[in-house]
Amino acid sequence: MTRQDEATPGQFGEFGGRHVPEVMEEPLDRLTEAYETVARTPEFRAEFRDVLESYAGRPTPLFRAERLSAEYGADVYLKREDLLHGGAHKINNAVGQALLAKKAGKSRLIAETGAGQHGTATAMVGALFDLDTEIYMGKKDANRQRMNVFRMRLMGAEVNEVTRGGAGLADAVDAALEDFAGNVEETHYLVGSAVGPDPFPRMVREFQSVIGEEAREQIREETGGLPDAAVACVGGGSNAIGLFHAFRDDDVTFYGAEGGGEGADSKRHAAPLAKGRADVIHGMRTRVIDDDVEVHSVSAGLDYPGVGPEHAMFRAAGRCEYRGVTDEEALGAFRTLSETEGIIPALESSHAVALAKEIADEHDTIVVNLSGRGDKDVEQAAELFGLDL
Ligand SMILES: *Cc1c(COP(=O)(O)O)cnc(C)c1O
């Protein structure tokens, strides 16, 4: 299934493509051209690598989690993306796109953000590369995440609190798209996951694939072979595709942990792959949650109604198994990893850790992508656990 599915770039089997209004076609064509030429040069790659090393903190370790392994009954290795600048993998993509924007002569970055993680990563690279930066954030989200709003402003970004509609992530996306359509000359829209119209899914994948490339080398060095399974959480799908890509042609089983929310029979979840249906959303054909479902996950980063189109293809082809991990299971893993290894994982990443437990019977060696650190989630977890801080 490998290469011919992408015979048309940006088309992942029946998924992906570009489903956008006419006015978006030309700016996306220009972005595609910049990506296919500039971003593929040895100079660009060297500079990208250099910034990831000197600024973001790559390479990240692959850590053999001994006590967690004993608890789960399989050898579990954690890819420590939580140790990156900003505390998550998002910086990989933000650096790549900002560098490309700079080379393409853009003077301005815009981005949407939900909980503020992607907005924060964008504010970082906006400062680093001296680009004007404007972040669209739903007013409701901004009120819940004042610290992230302050962080972004501290780094010089303008935070535009969107009050229209439900004042959430979807409304922030709409506002950012409108901005982009009106200011394409000087503006790059820094999309935060492997979602959206072509070329975003394949471009974000390329910038995140450093995760799997490193992990593949590290596990071979450590064990002399490849893992039996690779596990990652799936919101939009960027950390997962970044881990999986290097193992795509290997005999490695892939597992994607979606936000299973309140459980298998509930109408509150964020699991379009384990449950939803095929449809068009945010410029791409992919899988989405059903109309009568309220998008919900205990972790803000997984709280998205769609998913990157390549995952929809992986699912259709049986290349990856996607399962919903409930809020409760994720919170359990959050606690277990904290207690056994002294590593507090992001609630998003906790979904991947929980899924590793579920599959530990079937696999000897498992690589889990620890996409981010959980410092941001401690207050929420304490509340959910009923603990006093
Ligand atoms: C944003 C985020 C995610 C979800 O995004 P993907 O594109 O699916 O990777 C996962 N983990 C962390 C820590 C995040 O911040």
Side-chain angles (χ1 to χ4, degrees):
M1 60 168 280
T2 323
R3 306 300 168 206
Q4 66 270 32
D5 282 311
E6 282 179 75
T8 308
Q11 194 66 39
F12 300 99
E14 64 172 291
F15 301 102
R18 207 191 262 176
H19 300 262
V20 294
E22 186 80 39
V23 291
M24 302 289 294
E25 290 285 355
E26 207 219 310
L28 289 171
D29 280 343
R30 274 197 272 165
L31 175 61
T32 303
E33 199 195 321
Y35 164 59
E36 286 179 347
T37 55
V38 180
R40 299 243 161 106
T41 61
E43 295 76 27
F44 182 94
R45 284 169 195 247
E47 204 173 333
F48 179 46
R49 228 357 132 106
D50 182 53
V51 178
L52 288 184
E53 284 179 20
S54 61
Y55 181 74
R58 303 214 72 90
T60 60
L62 184 74
F63 173 66
R64 191 182 131 79
E66 298 246 2
R67 290 194 61 208
L68 186 76
S69 297
E71 174 110 7
Y72 283 4
D75 287 338
V76 180
Y77 290 84
L78 304 175
K79 182 59 175 161
R80 298 290 309 273
E81 296 296 290
D82 60 311
L83 294 176
L84 289 171
H85 181 46
H89 69 290
K90 287 198 168 67
I91 190 72
N92 301 323
N93 169 51
V95 167
Q97 286 194 50
L99 197 55
L100 182 60
K102 192 86 183 170
K103 304 270 181 216
K106 305 287 179 185
S107 60
R108 183 169 178 263
L109 296 177
I110 59 169
E112 84 294 334
T113 197
Q117 297 304 113
H118 173 55
T120 303
T122 304
M124 287 172 188
V125 296
L128 180 68
F129 292 106
D130 191 18
L131 294 159
D132 291 338
T133 304
E134 185 161 352
I135 307 297
Y136 288 91
M137 188 172 190
K139 176 99 184 141
K140 224 163 52 186
D141 292 330
N143 287 342
R144 277 193 295 233
Q145 299 285 344
R146 292 322 296 179
M147 284 300 284
N148 274 338
V149 174
F150 180 64
R151 264 185 206 113
M152 291 182 253
R153 288 185 174 145
L154 195 57
M155 292 185 280
E158 197 176 312
V159 182
N160 193 323
E161 298 180 22
V162 179
T163 53
R164 70 170 83 176
L169 177 60
D171 309 288
V173 173
D174 288 340
L177 280 169
E178 266 171 42
D179 179 322
F180 186 47
N183 301 288
V184 293
E185 225 31 74
E186 72 276 19
T187 302
H188 175 72
Y189 183 1
L190 208 164
V191 171
S193 187
V195 298
D198 185 62
F200 285 108
R202 59 191 166 113
M203 182 168 71
V204 175
R205 174 187 73 201
E206 185 163 327
F207 293 146
Q208 290 292 2
S209 62
V210 60
I211 301 172
E213 282 161 17
E214 282 178 10
R216 194 172 186 281
E217 219 165 275
Q218 289 165 322
I219 192 89
R220 291 184 66 190
E221 207 155 282
E222 177 93 16
T223 68
L226 292 172
D228 301 301
V231 186
C233 66
V234 179
S238 70
N239 87 87
I241 209 70
L243 174 68
F244 294 163
H245 213 65
F247 298 101
R248 230 187 120 153
D249 299 325
D250 298 323
D251 185 18
V252 175
T253 310
F254 295 162
Y255 291 93
E258 293 191 286
E262 293 175 356
D265 306 317
S266 101
K267 293 287 180 199
R268 296 187 78 224
H269 64 75
L273 292 161
K275 290 189 214 170
R277 64 187 161 82
D279 206 344
V280 169
I281 187 173
H282 294 150
M284 59 183 161
R285 184 169 175 79
T286 185
R287 286 181 67 87
V288 302
I289 59 170
D290 288 317
D291 288 333
D292 62 343
V293 169
E294 180 193 344
V295 55
H296 159 82
S297 166
V298 70
S299 76
L302 302 187
D303 206 340
Y304 180 63
V307 66
E310 193 163 7
H311 290 290
M313 178 184 79
F314 274 8
R315 178 191 169 278
R319 180 64 187 90
C320 179
E321 190 179 322
Y322 298 91
R323 295 192 197 169
V325 171
T326 66
D327 293 347
E328 204 181 316
E329 289 164 338
L331 282 164
F334 177 86
R335 198 162 211 166
T336 301
L337 188 60
S338 299
E339 286 172 1
T340 55
E341 304 289 353
I343 297 170
I344 303 174
L347 280 175
E348 291 85 357
S349 323
S350 301
H351 287 69
V353 177
L355 186 47
K357 179 184 185 180
E358 223 178 89
I359 60 153
D361 284 352
E362 302 156 54
H363 302 283
D364 293 332
T365 309
I366 304 170
V367 170
V368 177
N369 199 22
L370 208 64
S371 55
R373 65 173 180 233
D375 302 54
K376 67 183 175 60
D377 301 318
V378 166
E379 209 177 324
Q380 185 190 352
E383 213 167 279
L384 290 165
F385 291 141
L387 304 173
D388 286 327
L389 269 187

